[in-house]
Amino acid sequence: MTTSPGQDTAWDQAAALPSRVTVDDASQELEEVLALGYRQGEGVPELRQCLEELAGNPVLVADHPDVITARGHLAHWTWQAGDIAKAREIFAALVPDIERTLGVDHRRALDVRRRWAACTGWSGTPATARNMYAELIPVAERSLGSEHRDVVHMRREFAAFTGQAGDRAGARDLYIELIPTAERVLGPDHIDTLSARMYLAALIDKIGDPGEAHDLYAALLPDMERGLGTQHPRTRYVRRVVDDWAAKNQLT
C-alpha cells in the first residue's frame, strides 16, 4: 500500500478503531438507565430509547455483553408493565444473540428461553408454550442438573401450560412427578411447592375425583397456613374449598 506524503498509516488505523472512552461512555449510559429501573421499577421507555440510540453504534453491537444484559432487562420490565406480547417479541429476538454469545447451555441463555416460553403461554398460546418447555427442559437438565432451582421452575411452568392447553391428565402426572423434587429443592413451605400441590388438587377435582381432591386440599391447608400465613390469598382459597366441602357434606 502506498501512502501520500505526510500520511500516518498507524494513526489512521488507530482512528478507525472504537475509542475506549466511547465504549465506556456507552456502557455508562446503559448502567444509568438500568439503575433507574432498579430504583423505580420502571425505566422501560428510557431503556428502549437508549437501546435504539445505540443500535447503530459500532461500539456496542447487538450481542455485546452490556447490550445483552440491557435487552434482557427491557424484556423483563416490559413484561412486568403488562405488555406480555411485546416482551415475548423482545425475548424471541434476544435468544439467538445470547446463545451465540454465551452458548446454548449457559444459564442466562436458558433463562431467556424460559421467559420467552412463559410469555408465549401467557399471550394466549399455552400449547405452543408447552412444546417450547418440552424442548427446553432436557437442555437445562443436561446443563444445570435435574434438581437445579431453575429446572424445577421450568417443570412447574411446563405442567401449568400443559393443563392450560387442555391436557389435564398430562398436567396431573407432571405435578405428581414434580412435587417431591420441589419439596427437596425449594423446600416444602415454598410458595411454588405449595402452589403445585394446590394445582394438583384442582386438576384431580376437574378430572373427576372430588374425594381425592378434598383429601389433598385438607392436607395442604395447614402447610399453607404455616408457609404462607393464614391470610394469604391462596391459603384463603384452599380454606374456602375445604369449608365448602364440609358444609356440603353436612347437608347430605
Side-chain angles (χ1 to χ4, degrees), residues 36-121:
L36 175 68
Y38 287 132
R39 290 195 306 269
Q40 301 177 2
E42 300 174 355
V44 171
E46 293 85 349
L47 182 53
R48 181 178 291 116
Q49 179 180 353
C50 182
L51 286 170
E52 289 173 353
E53 291 173 351
L54 292 172
N57 190 326
V59 175
L60 294 184
V61 294
D63 53 1
H64 186 282
D66 291 345
V67 175
I68 289 288
T69 298
R71 291 168 66 194
H73 283 292
L74 176 60
H76 174 73
W77 294 346
T78 301
W79 183 0
Q80 296 303 306
D83 193 347
I84 299 175
K86 183 62 177 178
R88 180 191 61 197
E89 293 178 6
I90 301 171
F91 280 127
L94 178 57
V95 166
D97 293 336
I98 196 169
E99 288 185 337
R100 182 176 62 253
T101 304
L102 302 179
V104 296
D105 291 335
H106 194 282
R107 183 182 179 186
R108 287 179 59 193
L110 295 169
D111 184 63
V112 170
R113 286 184 61 185
R114 171 194 168 194
R115 292 170 186 269
W116 177 26
C119 286
T120 298

Side-chain angles (χ1 to χ4, degrees), residues 93-155:
L94 178 57
V95 166
D97 293 336
I98 196 169
E99 288 185 337
R100 182 176 62 253
T101 304
L102 302 179
V104 296
D105 291 335
H106 194 282
R107 183 182 179 186
R108 287 179 59 193
L110 295 169
D111 184 63
V112 170
R113 286 184 61 185
R114 171 194 168 194
R115 292 170 186 269
W116 177 26
C119 286
T120 298
W122 289 118
S123 295
T125 52
T128 302
R130 173 200 60 198
N131 296 339
M132 294 171 73
Y133 278 103
E135 295 177 358
L136 170 61
I137 289 171
V139 180
E141 288 179 329
R142 182 184 68 238
S143 175
L144 305 177
S146 60
E147 297 203 355
H148 192 281
R149 294 176 68 90
D150 292 358
V151 175
V152 172
H153 290 306
M154 290 176 193
R155 290 175 58 192

Side-chain angles (χ1 to χ4, degrees), residues 2 21 25 78 86 170:
T2 59
V21 174
D25 288 346
T78 301
K86 183 62 177 178

Side-chain angles (χ1 to χ4, degrees), residues 188-245:
D189 293 338
H190 191 282
I191 185 171
D192 289 338
T193 304
L194 296 169
S195 296
R197 292 173 59 190
M198 181 181 72
Y199 294 138
L200 173 61
L203 282 165
I204 289 175
D205 187 23
K206 291 177 181 178
I207 288 171
D209 192 344
E212 182 182 354
H214 169 263
D215 291 343
L216 292 172
Y217 279 125
L220 174 60
L221 181 57
D223 296 337
M224 280 275 199
E225 291 177 334
R226 181 185 65 251
L228 303 182
T230 58
Q231 297 306 309
H232 190 280
R234 295 186 184 182
T235 304
R236 291 160 59 186
Y237 169 78
V238 172
R239 185 184 305 113
R240 184 168 65 251
V241 171
V242 172
D243 290 346
D244 288 348
W245 173 274

